[in-house]
Amino acid sequence: MHKLILAAAAAAIAMLATGANAQAIRIATEGAYAPWNFLDEAGKPAGLDVDVGTEACKRAALDCTFQVNAWDSIIPNLVAGNYDVIIAGMSVTDERKASIDFTDEYFPPDPARYMVRAGTVLDFDNLSGKNIGVQGGTIHAAYATEHFGANNTVKSFDNADQALADLNAGNVDVILADGNYITEVVAGSGGALEKVGPELAIGGGVAMGLRKADDELEGKLNAALAEMKKDGTLDALIIKWFPDKKGPIYAGG
């Protein structure tokens, strides 16, 4: 009996030591782009990004904490060292890769879509005189400015909720954003909003952002994501937050 007690105590000490020695990682998310990321009723970050980050940290034996950072400064603050990882529904683009690195994707490329108030008819081949809502600093803002800025007004918002409020209020005519985000908003609008126009392939897959020097951390997170893809955990998390997403997505890959 005495030996069993000693063995149990040794195991407990070993577990405590492992936890104490775990690498502390600070993760930033926006907290304003449901269901990717948002603040729950307790004011804590939640959503697909948080679930993926939590599971990846567990598998990589990382001691991770989440914090909220506004979208327009999320990359500069990563580079400045204010946190170590971005998990915020961020698509991989060449422009972003010039300043930060990315893990492997944890969500496939998401075509952009347009969203309007129900009954609104727009000709996207000849769009003119319209107010187009986008979130500032996104691939959608860049696309709208390039393709529609000459004959329309592109209105940039700090976050997606502000853009949605102005669409509902009639202050913008159309919103351009991630297709899966648009799908969820339309589904929850009770018929007040509609998806219209073509799908637009304007970004890569969604991945975690890191500083360029953090190759070791990137390797740990990539290994964790590979496990999550292979055993179906990542698919389950995606379908939890995006029920319309068809599987298998990554399982077995």
Side-chain angles (χ1 to χ4, degrees):
M1 179 66 70
H2 183 63
K3 289 182 178 180
L4 289 175
I5 293 174
L6 288 176
I13 291 172
M15 290 180 64
L16 288 172
T18 299
N21 294 329
Q23 183 180 1
I25 298 298
R26 302 159 299 169
I27 299 177
T29 193
E30 183 187 10
Y33 199 53
W36 289 95
N37 54 81
F38 59 95
L39 300 182
D40 64 16
E41 293 180 355
K44 296 181 178 180
L48 174 64
D49 293 324
V50 177
D51 281 359
V52 170
T54 299
E55 181 65 22
C57 286
K58 177 182 175 182
R59 295 184 184 222
L62 300 171
D63 180 14
C64 294
T65 55
F66 287 85
Q67 62 190 72
V68 174
N69 193 99
W71 178 262
D72 61 355
S73 63
I74 203 164
I75 289 180
N77 277 333
L78 171 69
V79 175
N82 294 329
Y83 37 77
D84 308 297
V85 180
I86 295 172
I87 304 181
M90 181 176 285
S91 298
V92 178
T93 67
D94 289 339
E95 181 180 3
R96 289 169 180 160
K97 286 167 68 176
S99 55
I100 64 173
D101 279 351
F102 287 94
T103 64
D104 296 335
E105 69 177 46
Y106 62 88
F107 196 94
D110 184 9
R113 294 298 305 268
Y114 298 101
M115 175 170 59
V116 300
R117 294 181 300 281
T120 301
V121 178
L122 298 176
D123 180 1
F124 290 100
D125 291 327
N126 299 284
L127 201 62
S128 180
K130 302 301 181 182
N131 292 318
I132 304 170
V134 293
Q135 184 174 1
T138 62
I139 55 177
H140 313 105
Y143 182 93
T145 300
E146 179 182 352
H147 290 83
F148 301 119
N151 299 313
N152 302 273
T153 300
V154 178
K155 293 189 172 184
S156 292
F157 296 86
D158 289 339
N159 59 60
D161 288 344
Q162 293 174 353
L164 179 59
D166 262 28
L167 177 64
N168 286 321
N171 297 325
V172 298
D173 301 296
V174 57
I175 285 176
L176 177 63
D178 291 324
N180 281 289
Y181 164 76
I182 294 289
T183 297
E184 294 296 313
V185 173
V186 169
S189 73
L193 302 173
E194 295 178 344
K195 287 189 294 186
V196 296
E199 291 186 345
L200 302 172
I202 57 177
V206 176
M208 306 180 200
L210 309 96
R211 287 182 292 274
K212 286 186 171 293
D214 290 340
D215 293 339
E216 182 179 354
L217 176 57
E218 182 179 343
K220 290 179 180 179
L221 291 172
N222 279 339
L225 288 173
E227 290 180 359
M228 292 166 64
K229 291 175 180 179
K230 188 173 183 179
D231 67 18
T233 300
L234 185 54
D235 280 11
L237 291 177
I238 291 173
I239 294 169
K240 169 187 173 182
W241 292 104
F242 295 96
D244 292 337
K245 198 74 176 172
K246 304 298 182 183
I249 305 163
Y250 291 113

